[in-house]
Every structure is written in C-alpha cells, then in structure tokens.
Amino acid sequence: MLNEPFLTARHEDGRDAPLLVWRADRPLLAVSSAPLGGGLGVREWVVNATVSMSYDREDPAGHLAELADQLGLDGPGVGLLTGVDVAEMVARTDSGVRVWATVGLGMPVWAAAPEPSGVTANTPAAPAQRVGTVNIVVYVPARLGPAALVNAVATATEAKAQALAELGVPGTGTPTDAVTVLCPVDGPEAAYGGPRSTWGAPLARAVHAAVSTGGAGTVVPWSHRPAG
C-alpha cells in the first residue's frame, strides 16, 4: 500500500523548498513518466519536489537522487519536479483508487501544436521550458497487468485533459507534466485500465476531480512568492 504523503523541506538556493514524500509499506509495481524512476518497474517511494521557476539543472534525475539520499530513502523510487508549492497538493479517492495532484497551469500547451517555423529534423532541440507542471500520482489497490498500467496512464491523461477543457484552459497540459501509477505486485491481475474498466473508471473520476479542484484557482509559483 502507498501511504499518505508527508510534507517536508530542504534548504536550497537560500530558501526552504518543500517536498512531498510517499512511502510504500512494501514494494509496488509502477509505471511513470517521471525524470527519476520512470518507465515500468518495482518502486518503494515517491518524491514530488518544488523547484524554482528558473530551474535549469540539466540532470533532474541526479538532483532527485540527491534529494532521496538526503531523505534517507532506500531502494528504487520515483522522483518528480514542479514549480508549484507541493503543500497545495489536492487528494481525491474514488472506489479505493487514490490520486494526488499538484496543478500548475501557467504554461498550457496543446499536445499537437504546430511545429515552429524553421524547425527541421536536424534542428537542435530547444532548451527545456520552465517548470510549471501537472504532476499526478495514482495508487490502484489491485494488481494491474502491464498493458493495463500503460492504459491507466492514458486514462489519467485523458481525465486531466477533460478537466482542463472544462476549466477553459487553452491546452491539454504543460510541457513538463508527469504521471505515476502504482499498484500491488501480487494478486489477481486486472487486464484493463481504460476509462470504462473496473479500475480505470474510478481512476479517471479521481484524477478529473483533483485536477479540476487544483486548477480552479490562481496558482502562484512557489519561487514567485516572498521568502518566508
């Protein structure tokens, strides 16, 4: 089981920057698009760390590994970054599925935006855009098969996009959004994770509710607030 997150902080760049930390009672199966611990595998913890909107480290996975070490987190885990104050996390539960979301919508983009003029296949990649980010962490209390886990990520993303459309946000997300879905490593295996499946349906509702709530107000990036 994934426990409720606890809020802590680390001193960085002259300020106390907040972090959310989840610990699992036992290793969980996870699929994630996070900088640290992304992909499919067994994970034991999750960290969602607030960073400055001017964040420009080129090794986010290394940075998150350093934070995990400082927190005494052992074993493999998932690390996420956001410009949002993670203390503003929104949690929702539906039929046993638990969702936690930090919602920063300062830089919405359409997933299928036109390619900028002058860009070709040989054009060097542009620098990463500033961190804004919708980070979604999901715990499903039943074993999902590999295809169901991948489908659950798609379902969470669809539910996020639905919430943004209903909020009138001009985009399907931000350039740096990430999704993590975790479930037990044993037990009967659910084959499906789509929005009409046994576990995908409550997952979609919980993600939609969390993103709708988190995106309804004006979110001021953590680094734009007065220190202290």
Side-chain angles (χ1 to χ4, degrees):
M1 180 175 179
L2 190 65
N3 294 320
E4 289 294 323
F6 67 86
L7 182 67
T8 185
R10 85 280 185 186
H11 196 69
E12 192 169 280
D13 296 328
R15 299 184 67 179
D16 289 327
L19 307 93
L20 282 174
V21 183
W22 292 256
R23 294 179 185 267
D25 290 338
R26 61 185 64 184
L28 298 171
L29 185 61
V31 62
S32 178
S33 60
L36 177 67
L40 180 66
V42 174
R43 306 289 183 258
E44 300 180 24
W45 49 264
V46 179
V47 168
N48 191 11
T50 296
V51 294
S52 169
M53 290 295 284
S54 61
Y55 186 82
D56 60 358
R57 284 189 60 157
E58 296 181 357
D59 63 335
H63 183 201
L64 285 159
E66 292 169 9
L67 296 181
D69 185 62
Q70 293 170 17
L71 291 163
L73 297 172
D74 298 321
V78 173
L80 305 149
L81 296 172
T82 178
V84 175
D85 184 344
V86 295
E88 298 181 351
M89 175 268 296
V90 178
R92 292 292 183 269
T93 301
D94 192 306
S95 303
V97 176
R98 292 188 290 163
V99 169
W100 301 269
T102 49
V103 184
L105 298 173
M107 294 180 296
V109 296
W110 297 107
E115 190 171 35
S117 177
V119 174
T120 69
N122 296 321
T123 302
Q129 299 196 41
R130 295 183 306 156
V131 177
T133 309
V134 179
N135 281 340
I136 298 170
V137 177
V138 178
Y139 174 73
V140 177
R143 168 72 183 271
L144 299 179
L149 275 169
V150 174
N151 205 353
V153 172
T155 297
T157 303
E158 290 177 26
K160 175 195 71 175
Q162 179 182 339
L164 299 189
E166 293 170 357
L167 289 167
V169 175
T172 50
T174 85
T176 51
D177 290 355
V179 177
T180 300
V181 179
L182 306 104
C183 69
V185 298
D186 49 21
E189 189 175 279
Y192 305 107
R196 292 298 173 266
S197 65
T198 300
W199 296 110
L203 184 159
R205 292 191 296 265
V207 169
H208 176 267
V211 175
S212 295
T213 300
T218 300
V219 178
V220 177
W222 170 79
S223 58
H224 292 183
R225 299 175 180 177

